[in-house]
Amino acid sequence: MNSKLYIETYGCQMNFSDSEIVGAILEHNKCTLIKDVEQADIILINTCSIRENAENRIFHRLENLRHLKKKNPLLIIGVIGCMAERMKDDLIAKEPIVNIIAGPDSYRDLPKMIEMVKVSGQAVETLLSEEETYGEIMPVRIDSNGVSAFISIMRGCENYCSYCVVPYTRGKERSRDPETIVNEATYLFNHGYKEITLLGQNVNSYHWECADGKMINFSSLIALVAKVSPTLRVRFSTSHPKDFSDELIDTIASYDNICNFIHLPMQSGSTAVLKKMNRKYTREWYLDRINAIKTRIPDCGLSTDIIAGFCGETEEDHQQTLSMMKEVGYDSAFMFKYSERPGTLAQRHFPNDVPEDVKSRRLEEIIDLQQQSSLENNKKDVGKVFEVLVEGETKRSDKQLFGCNSQNKVIIFDRAEIKAGDYVNVKVVDCTAATLMGEIVS
Ligand code: SAH
Ligand code: SF4
Ligand code: F3S
């Protein structure tokens, strides 16, 4: 008999993409994905360790699942992903309702692990691999809008930014065979998808040696995916400023369907802090890359990640972050307070010495400035016409549709005889800091 499987995902897009791989592996092994957790025979929680509060959220969730286990002692609960990798067996000691612990490179063994649980109650596997890319597995699409999808092109990270847990939870960096990537993109396009985001912790370091010795780097890969169809939009995330090459900027500029949007995490505007973070670039290098992007792709949307209150960050360092934000003028940003992670270089070598109230105040200043910058940039879009890929109805009203422009901005407009997956031209008539409002013009 088929088991009813419920997967819940936390963390980054790569985790969401992994859940779709897990779904595919288990659907091939007598499981059926369901959307109601109460009905499940197997619950898998795909977890994130990036900040302490990410882990706390998951502990709360596990507490909330205890009542289901009480109701059904045969229910199998698994913790998979980064937190499983970081905490290993300690997780079971902390949370005895957990039966399965599976790290990010152990997903092929999940069917076997489920069988083991049925015999012995528990199964733990957290060995990281140097080769696993799940390359040939065609993911099932979970909670998809049928318009945009994510394709994982590489796994792991070896940059060892001093604050970051990812190299420890995801292991060595490895790239996926480009043929399987292009096949997946083609398959998705043939099934109605119009937008693909290529995913990796540092997509610019993608590299693959073909059988004939030819090297494929990220610029060549993104061009191969863009050639699947001119009506397939291509995006990517995340790129590291240290490897953001002129070649990549030129490739983005030369394909209409590679979106004019770049997420380029700066983390800090101070060269001294960047050095301590082991980011391997300076403030000047970062600004040079931004200028190169603005010159070659004048209408490019820009977003970033910023950490407030890293070890030893002075008021002057913080001011440099604010001044860099002003200089770049980001359209949006993900902004975080520094959270010390066990085992990282920073935790081992630098005191976490910025007081909590100072961290909070700096983060607030960063958020306020970003809010102004987003609003200012959005105001500049009023009056412009953008091609929008329609994603569906807005949450608030079935009389309104929404979609994104190439610059990754959400635009809302009145419903018309169009459907999700269509392209329409929309003129922006109004805005907030978060959204553009428009009218269809064609
Ligand atoms: N690979 C990407 C980022 C992955 S993690 C890159 O290198 O840019 C996403 C973001 O979380 C990071 O960019 C960083 O801003 C933030 N982050 C990572 N570790 C953190 C920590 N210990 N505390 C606070 N924020 C952190
Ligand atoms: Fe973490 Fe740095 Fe790797 Fe990004 S590049 S995942 S921040 S170690
Ligand atoms: Fe979190 Fe792991 Fe992604 S730590 S951010 S789920 S790679």
Side-chain angles (χ1 to χ4, degrees), residues 59 84 86-96 101 124:
F59 279 122
R86 194 182 80 71
M87 300 191 69
K88 303 185 169 64
D89 311 36
D90 289 355
L91 241 171
I92 294 187
K94 264 193 138 162
E95 203 37 91
I101 306 274
V124 178

Side-chain angles (χ1 to χ4, degrees), residues 12 14 49-52 157 159 161 163-166 200-202 238-241 263-267 279 304-308 310 334-341 344:
C12 63
M14 266 154 281
S49 286
I50 201 81
R51 283 166 290 274
E52 195 180 357
C157 180
N159 286 310
C161 300
Y163 50 81
C164 184
V165 76
V166 173
Q201 291 295 2
N202 177 10
T238 304
S239 23
H240 195 302
H263 178 65
L264 200 63
M266 70 139 140
Q267 314 299 0
R279 288 291 285 178
T304 199
D305 291 350
I306 301 172
I307 299 177
F310 184 60
F334 297 99
M335 299 153 286
F336 314 101
K337 263 193 267 185
Y338 171 59
S339 162
E340 186 176 78
R341 306 310 295 132
T344 55

